[in-house]
């Protein structure tokens, strides 16, 4: 029997207690906008819930840690919950790890339209409109597991369209065992749709605002339309104010354009066009294929500062959060064979590389510098295996640059 069409918002992972990351410096002209970005993204979701033809809202975890976010963050949630309550719009909230229900202060009671699901069991709540049940929402807050325990969501079967709200990692095989029409999932900051996880859709909608270079690309929330025949359509809505971008560059691309500065400038223009006028926080990863290509990069630190001066102050800004130059693994054979300090240096580096840097010991070098703290000396004496290769590559690059006459300075200050 056909039901009624309805529409709801699915959002999660606000993390109002957490600032933007991967920033070694915060530009003064962007400081206020960066500080407000998580709140601005959350407000966009609530404003959509109030303005659009939305029947209810589901939140699937990690909206905020009340203690870390403080009154400022809690007030944002409570104010909008009250506004939704005035419009008689239900809110269904499954807590994750950050927003454990036990952390919510008793002195700040939630309005009656908000269902904060318990941790000890799943409960099913019917959603009504004009006296008729349009769907059922099933939820259970996280017990601290990293994975979602689907069997614990079992409730009495219903003919109504059923939305399950859960927090934690899962896969299609596990999710489909729940036999729900829509899984509203939380706990992942990057959006992901799990094909085959539910009859309609299974979606991690992601955080509405990215926080690091590990969370690149668009961020936002979902608007879900369900028609009278229970056909589900999920719309991805972007609401991030700052967008992280990871860009890989190799030597062949630099050679094709002719200049590292021209290439990076062209990429920034393209990124600004593709990302709809948002502020960009860019991480550049530049690979050098051989030692002979080093001159095309110039001094990495000076290149970083040039990018920030040239593109970081625009409206919108394209701020370079990081710039990493990946050294070549192999330098020209003729350099290795030189009867010079450079040749000796490269042969020693190759010897260390062949045994994975196991014989590297930087502790003796710290003894030449009395100002180095003992904890730093200890760390240098016991470099983790996972870091030795990177340290060796960077040290080899620095040595080559210095032994060949210093870092080439091809990036002119403007």
């Amino acid at each position: 029997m056909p039901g009624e069409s309805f529409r709801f918002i699915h959002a999660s992972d606000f993390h109002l207690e957490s600032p933007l990351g991967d920033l070694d410096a915060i530009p003064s002209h962007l400081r206020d906008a960066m500080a407000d970005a998580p709140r601005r993204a959350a407000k966009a979701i609530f404003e959509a819930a109030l303005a659009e033809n939305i029947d209810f809202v589901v939140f699937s975890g990690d909206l905020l840690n009340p203690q870390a976010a403080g009154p400022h963050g809690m007030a944002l949630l409570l104010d909008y919950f009250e506004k939704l309550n005035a419009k008689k719009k239900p809110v269904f909230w499954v807590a994750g790890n950050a927003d454990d229900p036990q952390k919510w202060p008793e002195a700040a009671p939630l309005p009656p339209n908000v269902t904060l699901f318990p941790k000890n069991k799943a409960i099913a709540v019917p959603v009504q409109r004009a006296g008729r049940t349009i769907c059922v929402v099933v939820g259970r807050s996280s017990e601290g597991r990293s994975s979602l325990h689907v069997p614990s969501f079992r409730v009495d079967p219903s003919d109504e369209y059923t939305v399950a709200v859960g927090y934690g990692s899962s896969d299609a095989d596990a999710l489909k065992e729940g036999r729900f029409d829509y899984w509203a999932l939380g706990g992942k900051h990057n959006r992901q749709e799990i094909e085959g996880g539910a009859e309609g859709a299974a979606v991690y909608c992601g955080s509405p605002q990215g926080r690091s270079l590990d969370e690149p690309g668009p961020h936002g929330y979902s608007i879900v339309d369900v028609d009278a025949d229970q056909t589900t359509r999920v719309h991805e809505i972007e609401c991030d104010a700052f967008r992280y971008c990871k860009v890989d560059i190799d030597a062949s691309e630099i050679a094709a354009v002719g200049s590292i500065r021209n290439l990076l400038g062209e990429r920034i223009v393209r990124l600004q066009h593709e990302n709809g006028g948002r502020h960009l926080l860019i991480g550049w990863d530049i690979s050098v294929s051989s030692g002979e290509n080093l001159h095309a990069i110039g001094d990495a630190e000076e290149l970083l500062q040039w990018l920030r001066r040239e593109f970081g102050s625009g409206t919108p800004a394209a701020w370079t959060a990081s710039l990493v130059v990946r050294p070549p693994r192999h330098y020209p054979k003729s350099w290795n064979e030189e009867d010079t300090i450079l040749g000796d240096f490269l042969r020693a580096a190759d010897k260390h590389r062949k045994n994975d840097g196991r014989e590297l010991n930087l502790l003796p070098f710290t003894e030449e510098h009395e100002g180095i703290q003992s904890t730093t000396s200890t760390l240098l004496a016991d470099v983790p295996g996972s870091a030795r290769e990177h340290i060796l590559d960077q040290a080899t690059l620095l040595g080559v640059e210095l032994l060949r006459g210093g870092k080439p300075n091809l990036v002119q200050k403007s």
Side-chain angles (χ1 to χ4, degrees):
M1 179 178 177
E4 294 190 39
S5 62
F6 59 92
R7 166 181 278 194
F8 65 94
I9 280 178
H10 168 209
S12 73
D13 295 271
F14 289 8
H15 281 292
L16 293 177
E17 77 284 354
S18 178
L20 304 190
D22 275 344
L23 297 165
D24 64 349
I26 300 178
S28 59
H29 62 288
L30 295 175
R31 185 177 295 120
D32 291 343
M34 285 181 171
D36 193 51
R39 290 173 55 85
R40 180 176 171 182
K43 287 178 180 179
I45 295 169
F46 282 113
E47 291 296 334
L50 292 167
E52 301 285 343
N53 183 24
I54 300 298
D55 291 287
F56 59 95
V57 181
V58 296
F59 294 125
S60 45
D62 282 356
L63 299 191
L64 85 172
N65 180 308
Q67 286 72 35
H72 197 48
M74 292 177 59
L76 185 150
L77 290 188
L78 290 172
D79 288 347
Y80 275 109
F81 286 164
E82 290 289 359
K83 291 178 181 179
L84 290 168
N85 185 45
K87 288 183 172 286
K88 295 182 169 43
K89 295 189 178 186
V91 175
F92 300 99
W93 178 7
V94 157
N97 293 329
D99 48 5
D100 185 329
Q102 295 178 347
K103 296 179 182 178
W104 191 264
E106 295 182 1
L110 299 171
N113 66 317
V114 178
T115 299
L116 179 55
F117 289 97
K119 297 166 59 177
N120 61 339
K121 66 176 181 178
I123 61 173
V125 182
V127 182
Q128 295 192 325
R129 183 177 62 198
R132 289 190 58 184
T133 298
I134 59 174
C135 74
V136 174
V137 177
V138 177
R140 181 180 182 179
S141 289
S142 172
E143 295 180 287
R145 299 170 180 258
S146 61
S147 59
L148 180 68
H149 189 236
V150 174
S152 68
F153 279 74
R154 291 198 181 107
V155 294
D156 293 335
S158 170
D159 292 332
E160 306 291 345
Y161 188 99
T162 305
V163 177
V165 192
Y167 176 95
S169 61
S170 192
D171 56 32
D173 290 337
L175 293 172
K176 67 183 179 183
E177 291 297 324
R179 300 182 183 278
F180 296 114
D181 295 291
Y182 182 91
W183 268 107
L185 300 166
K188 294 188 177 183
H189 295 179
N190 294 324
R191 183 181 181 86
Q192 182 182 0
E193 297 193 22
I194 309 297
E195 186 176 352
E199 186 68 26
V203 179
Y204 289 94
C205 61
S207 172
Q209 172 59 62
R211 294 300 202 286
S212 72
L213 290 168
D214 290 329
E215 301 173 13
H219 283 260
Y221 59 100
S222 296
I223 290 181
V224 184
D225 282 304
V226 180
D227 66 18
D229 294 324
Q230 298 194 347
T231 300
T232 305
R233 295 179 177 84
V234 182
H235 311 281
E236 180 181 356
I237 311 298
E238 300 173 5
C239 65
D240 48 343
F242 284 82
R243 184 160 295 173
Y244 286 87
C245 303
K246 293 176 72 172
V247 184
D248 295 329
I249 300 289
D250 61 36
S252 63
E253 294 176 283
I254 301 171
V257 174
S259 163
I260 183 67
R261 287 188 293 172
N262 289 343
L263 177 60
L264 298 184
E266 289 177 4
R267 285 295 182 90
I268 287 174
V269 171
R270 188 192 309 171
L271 287 169
Q272 289 175 323
H273 175 74
E274 293 172 348
N275 290 287
R278 288 173 174 81
H279 295 304
L280 304 180
L281 299 172
I282 307 173
W284 303 98
D285 195 308
I286 304 174
S287 297
V288 180
S289 59
S290 72
E292 293 172 335
N293 298 128
L294 289 173
H295 72 279
I297 307 298
D299 185 289
E301 180 61 28
E302 189 163 349
L303 183 58
L304 170 66
Q305 297 305 322
W306 175 81
L307 282 165
R308 290 177 172 177
R309 289 195 308 269
E310 192 73 14
F311 302 101
S313 300
T315 305
W319 181 260
T320 292
S322 72
L323 187 146
V324 176
V325 177
R326 304 286 177 185
R329 295 304 309 273
H330 303 286
Y331 291 86
K333 185 178 179 181
S334 60
W335 296 4
N336 287 64
E337 295 174 347
E338 286 182 9
D339 188 17
T340 62
I341 296 177
L342 174 61
D344 292 339
F345 176 78
L346 286 174
R347 289 189 289 272
D350 284 342
K351 179 182 177 182
H352 282 295
R353 187 172 285 109
K354 287 176 182 177
N355 62 21
D356 299 322
R358 288 189 297 271
E359 297 178 4
L360 285 175
N361 180 11
L362 303 180
L363 182 59
F365 298 98
T366 67
E367 298 171 354
E368 302 175 9
H369 304 277
E370 297 179 357
I372 295 180
Q373 298 180 355
S374 59
T375 52
T376 303
S377 298
T378 302
L379 289 172
L380 289 171
D382 187 21
V383 178
S386 59
R388 287 181 188 140
E389 182 177 343
H390 174 72
I391 292 174
L392 180 58
D393 285 345
Q394 293 294 332
T396 304
L397 174 62
L398 178 60
V400 168
E401 290 173 329
L402 293 174
L403 290 171
R404 298 192 77 242
K407 292 187 176 183
N409 184 12
L410 301 182
V411 181
Q412 300 299 321
K413 292 184 179 180
S414 59

